[in-house]
Amino acid sequence: MSFAHLNLPEYLLNVLTKQHYTDPYPIQEQAIPTILAKKDLMGIAQTGSGKTASYVLPILANMESIPVPKARHVSVLVLVPTRELALQVSDVFKQFAIAVPSRCKCIAVHGGVSINVQRLAMNNVRILVATPGRLLDLIQSNAVHLSAVKTLVLDEADKMLNRGFKEEMDEIFTFLPKKRQNLLFSATLSPKIEDVQNALLQDPLVINILPEESHIDLIQQTAYAVSPEQKGPLLRALISHRKMEQVLIFTSSIYQADLVADKLNKHNIQARAVHSKKSQHSRTDALHHFKLGKLRVLVATDLLARGIDIQFLPFVINYELPRSPKDFVHRIGRTGRAENPGEALTLVTPEDEHHFKVIQKKMKKSVPLKDKNQTLEIIAGNA
Ligand code: AMP
């Protein structure tokens, strides 16, 4: 099946070719015709499945048939849980919107930056990607109206609910017109998600794309038995000896993320930390440079474990284990995506051993472990 079979307009097909999107991913094959037909949809899919383009493309194709609304009224609203995802989704809209003949201005609004700048930017916006709190602020200050929304998208709805956005979401829904298309995307299915599905969607097409666990086989995993004091030297040895030019390192605390990045920099390995205490500008800037391949190491807390897609990421290192096995899978899922094999390396201290066994059991995969002596050889540069 090719994109041309999906009834997308020529101008979008041209951008797809330019962006090297050759064939549609499974979620795109199923979602695009449904959304083009203006029907409701529920997609159980993770980042990496191609879910963003699965709604961006048909929404843009449908824009031509939607009349341009009054000033400060948007036609499409996409709600997302995090600033990072807001920027990522709006980037995909922008990437394709340039080819659309009708006016399709898209912006992302989220907390952490001045609301005044966003208020001014609302002029002529037709597609709004927003985190719930900031959107309510903008509605309350009359900067945006939702009464002309034709399509509502809830992306990573499970994460929005987990982050306690339910009340804000419910309030936002009261500003929407009753007649509209609803698209709900969630990485997981839970009773809470089913409640949202039942409340919002009418006779939806339900698409269930296999979870991230299913592509775990694409990822080559190795674990290293290491004492806490040797973690730093081992990390540096792995990065240098394996000639890692782009590596995402996970720590379990903000403090450690800063510490690891500082230490790497002191050893001339260029690194930056991203976590919730960093300013929005710093996080976006670090991620941008990392994605472009201009920053060698990004050290992150679990803030980045989900939702952020970095194409062709070859290495992920777990400097510390996450508490939840699910987070472990999300972390290593940053590599081995979209048919590109990747490697995940995990540092395991004696204290971590039991927990790492639990993670492997939950992941249904055992990870080969380099014992202490082998680790010492790696640090010494002999392996
Ligand atoms: P998403 O799940 O929306 O975050 O998309 C995952 C990644 O796959 C993104 O980097 C997209 O650019 C890429 N992608 C999505 N659909 C396709 C496709 N049909 N062909 C090639 N790459 C794609």
Side-chain angles (χ1 to χ4, degrees):
M1 158 100 54
S2 73
F3 278 108
H5 288 105
L6 294 174
N7 276 335
L8 286 169
E10 198 68 35
Y11 50 81
L12 288 178
L13 295 178
N14 292 340
V15 190
L16 283 164
T17 311
K18 274 196 205 128
Q19 301 287 343
H20 307 290
Y21 281 42
T22 41
D23 297 311
Y25 288 171
I27 190 166
Q28 293 161 355
E29 267 182 39
Q30 297 178 64
I32 290 173
T34 303
I35 302 175
L36 282 175
K38 306 201 175 162
K39 291 190 182 139
D40 284 4
L41 178 137
M42 159 93 176
I44 315 289
Q46 316 239 344
T47 296
S49 58
K51 69 175 163 65
T52 319
S54 84
Y55 65 81
V56 165
L57 292 165
I59 283 177
L60 288 174
N62 283 345
M63 287 304 271
E64 301 244 34
S65 59
I66 302 173
V68 176
K70 284 188 286 182
R72 285 179 286 155
H73 286 65
V74 293
S75 308
V76 175
L77 173 65
V78 185
L79 284 181
V80 294
T82 61
R83 306 154 184 188
E84 280 78 12
L85 189 62
L87 293 169
Q88 196 172 297
V89 168
S90 67
D91 279 350
V92 180
F93 268 112
K94 285 174 191 163
Q95 184 184 347
F96 291 103
I98 39 165
V100 180
S102 56
R103 181 161 67 70
C104 270
K105 182 174 167 189
C106 170
I107 65 162
V109 293
H110 46 77
V113 290
S114 155
I115 190 167
N116 286 333
V117 175
Q118 291 177 349
R119 215 180 272 139
L120 293 173
M122 285 308 306
N123 215 5
N124 290 335
V125 168
R126 288 194 73 194
I127 301 168
L128 184 63
V129 186
T131 53
R134 178 51 58 95
L135 175 60
L136 280 173
D137 293 341
L138 287 164
I139 293 171
Q140 269 140 25
S141 64
N142 267 332
V144 63
H145 301 278
L146 304 184
S147 57
V149 167
K150 299 282 183 216
T151 303
L152 167 73
V153 183
L154 303 183
D155 200 345
E156 296 200 357
D158 51 345
K159 207 166 176 189
M160 277 198 280
L161 296 177
N162 291 343
R163 290 193 153 214
F165 287 141
K166 176 84 172 83
E167 270 177 31
E168 275 126 324
M169 284 158 68
D170 284 343
E171 194 179 342
I172 289 166
F173 299 157
T174 65
F175 296 104
L176 292 166
K178 287 229 159 50
K179 198 170 168 299
R180 57 171 199 260
Q181 180 181 37
N182 299 290
L183 313 173
L184 174 65
F185 291 89
S186 173
T188 52
L189 199 54
S190 68
K192 277 191 200 164
I193 287 291
E194 278 168 10
D195 285 349
V196 177
Q197 176 186 352
N198 293 334
L200 287 189
L201 306 187
Q202 279 191 359
D203 192 20
L205 171 78
V206 179
I207 304 173
N208 199 341
I209 298 295
L210 283 176
E212 211 151 37
E213 283 82 345
S214 65
H215 87 235
I216 241 172
D217 289 334
L218 270 182
I219 304 163
Q220 192 186 326
Q221 292 202 57
T222 314
Y224 299 84
V226 65
S227 65
E229 326 55 84
Q230 285 172 335
K231 275 184 159 187
L234 174 62
L235 183 67
R236 295 192 292 275
L238 288 170
I239 295 173
S240 305
H241 302 164
R242 298 288 313 275
K243 298 192 172 51
M244 297 181 185
E245 287 309 322
Q246 195 187 34
V247 51
L248 177 59
I249 299 176
F250 283 106
T251 63
S252 56
S253 70
I254 291 172
Y255 172 78
Q256 275 295 347
D258 283 335
L259 208 66
V260 169
D262 283 352
K263 274 260 171 73
L264 288 174
N265 282 313
K266 284 203 180 103
H267 285 85
N268 292 322
I269 297 174
Q270 189 208 13
R272 283 175 70 176
V274 287
H275 49 64
S276 55
K277 288 269 155 62
K278 292 275 182 190
S279 72
Q280 180 54 34
H281 173 74
S282 160
R283 280 153 64 173
T284 315
D285 189 63
L287 203 64
H288 179 67
H289 280 84
F290 186 65
K291 282 188 181 188
L292 288 179
K294 291 184 176 164
L295 171 67
R296 191 173 181 190
V297 181
L298 197 66
V299 189
T301 55
D302 283 295
L303 172 80
L304 275 201
R306 275 184 63 175
I308 299 299
D309 182 67
I310 300 165
Q311 263 183 311
F312 313 127
L313 184 57
F315 295 103
V316 166
I317 298 182
N318 292 301
Y319 186 82
E320 290 173 307
L321 293 180
R323 236 173 283 148
S324 123
K326 268 223 163 101
D327 280 345
F328 186 88
V329 173
H330 291 311
R331 282 180 178 190
I332 67 169
R334 301 308 95 200
T335 179
R337 309 169 75 65
E339 280 119 52
N340 293 299
E343 263 192 81
L345 316 174
T346 302
L347 276 47
V348 183
T349 63
E351 222 177 75
D352 294 329
E353 270 172 29
H354 174 71
H355 186 46
F356 191 52
K357 280 197 183 118
V358 175
I359 289 176
Q360 292 174 76
K361 208 168 156 203
K362 285 263 162 67
M363 188 164 60
K364 297 195 186 81
K365 197 157 179 80
S366 67
V367 179
L369 181 80
K370 303 266 185 214
D371 65 27
K372 263 184 166 170
N373 292 332
Q374 289 170 303
T375 299
L376 284 175
E377 291 285 299
I378 292 166
I379 295 172
N382 300 332

